[in-house]
Amino acid sequence: MARQKMQIKIMQNVLAANDSKAAELRDLLQRKNIFMLNLISSPGSGKTTLLEKTIPLLQDKFKVAIIEGDVETDRDAQRLEQFKVPVALINTSGACHLESVSIEKAFTSLDLDNLDLIIVENVGNLVCPAEFDIGEDAKIALLSTPEGDDKVIKYPLLFREATLAILNKIDLLEHANFDMQAFYADLQKINASLDVIEMSCKNNVGLDLWINWVEKKILLKIAH
Ligand SMILES: Nc1nc2c(ncn2[C@@H]2O[C@H](COP(=O)(O)OP(=O)(O)OP(=O)(O)O)[C@@H](O)[C@H]2O)c(=O)[nH]1
Ligand SMILES: [Mg+2]
């Protein structure tokens, strides 16, 4: 019991230290007029694919940078090299999420005086990334249809914390046994005000809605 109490205390201290650094980063982003998104999903839902589709649609209008969080390898960072936008890679060497100190480190390789938008691809995981504030303006919860409609109710924190949910791979809907009604009913219970975009990165469905959403949010922030 004493051991359990100690573990809880340590976790509370870790989260408090993370939150305090995240608040510093949020202030910094506010001063620099940069909008930052934290893209969170299970492995393979389509985060990097969404970035591959998004960057070309935004990079002529806004100065964009990406922070790539991965446990190992620079595979995703390599996929984004073709776009000529700054990409800062964080390898967590086993950790299942990004923390605010790693984002602070990534900032040192970015020119913050010359950016409007940073999109962070968090480590593929539905649980831990939702617990760690990294100073973002909004968390995006990405779910793909083959994962199942029960993920909202089984992993509620992310959907509670998110400002936008994207349901990707709707091109696979008929094969995925995904119950749309159940998905929306669970979202209603968990976070009734959450915006949702149904998407197929593969077939370019829903990308226009997503780009509009991002543009509006950037302009709302940088116009102030
Ligand atoms: N059918 C279909 N496949 C997709 C779609 N979006 C992405 N994929 C495929 O899903 C696989 C995983 O996509 P990624 O973008 O690498 O996924 P990720 O979330 O970045 O994965 P991690 O970085 O490992 O967490 C790839 O084979 C993509 O081509 C989609 O809308 N429909
Ligand atoms: Mg990826």
Side-chain angles (χ1 to χ4, degrees):
M1 193 62 189
R3 193 190 159 98
Q4 200 185 7
K5 269 192 183 159
M6 183 130 84
Q7 280 173 340
I8 291 170
K9 186 79 197 147
I10 291 170
M11 194 56 198
Q12 281 170 341
N13 289 343
V14 167
L15 285 172
N18 182 72
D19 283 355
S20 140
K21 176 59 69 186
E24 273 177 40
L25 298 183
R26 192 166 279 116
D27 282 350
L28 175 65
L29 291 169
Q30 186 71 38
R31 285 199 306 279
K32 301 283 184 187
N33 244 1
I34 301 170
F35 183 66
M36 187 164 89
L37 290 173
N38 183 1
L39 194 51
I40 301 177
S41 82
S42 308
S45 306
K47 297 180 293 300
T48 312
T49 311
L50 179 60
L51 292 175
E52 288 169 327
K53 297 284 178 163
T54 301
I55 297 166
L57 297 172
L58 286 176
Q59 72 185 141
D60 290 341
K61 266 195 184 168
F62 301 102
K63 288 167 272 175
V64 183
I66 307 295
I67 297 178
E68 261 302 336
D70 264 311
V71 174
E72 301 277 351
T73 83
D74 62 352
R75 294 258 182 118
D76 285 359
Q78 275 183 32
R79 283 169 62 184
L80 303 179
E81 254 174 23
Q82 55 175 314
F83 299 111
K84 313 286 176 233
V85 299
V87 178
L89 172 66
I90 303 170
N91 277 141
T92 62
S93 307
C96 58
H97 60 273
L98 295 175
E99 297 185 15
S100 45
V101 281
S102 18
I103 299 297
E104 184 183 42
K105 216 166 171 190
F107 279 0
T108 61
S109 68
L110 298 175
D111 178 5
L112 296 184
D113 290 320
N114 202 20
L115 285 178
D116 304 310
L117 171 69
I118 299 174
I119 308 181
V120 180
E121 176 175 345
N122 216 311
V123 178
N125 186 316
L126 270 185
V127 184
C128 312
E131 290 174 8
F132 284 81
D133 184 2
I134 55 169
E136 75 280 316
D137 290 282
K139 288 183 175 67
I140 311 293
L142 183 71
L143 182 69
S144 62
T145 55
E147 292 166 64
D149 54 75
D150 59 352
K151 295 303 167 289
V152 173
I153 211 79
K154 288 180 71 180
Y155 303 92
L157 181 64
L158 173 59
F159 296 91
R160 218 172 270 136
E161 291 273 318
T163 309
L164 173 72
I166 296 177
L167 179 62
N168 191 32
K169 307 195 187 181
I170 56 162
D171 54 290
L172 297 178
L173 205 50
E174 58 179 313
H175 310 288
N177 198 23
F178 187 95
D179 183 337
M180 275 289 188
Q181 266 188 341
F183 168 71
Y184 279 106
D186 287 344
L187 277 182
Q188 189 65 26
K189 283 182 223 148
I190 301 292
N191 183 353
S193 63
L194 189 63
D195 291 334
V196 184
I197 296 177
E198 294 177 17
M199 185 177 283
S200 166
C201 282
K202 183 178 178 198
N203 295 343
N204 298 326
V205 174
L207 281 170
D208 50 345
L209 295 174
W210 155 247
I211 296 296
N212 274 343
W213 188 92
V214 178
E215 283 189 0
K216 265 193 202 145
K217 294 281 182 192
I218 298 174
L219 293 174
L220 256 177
K221 181 165 187 185
I222 70 177
H224 284 94

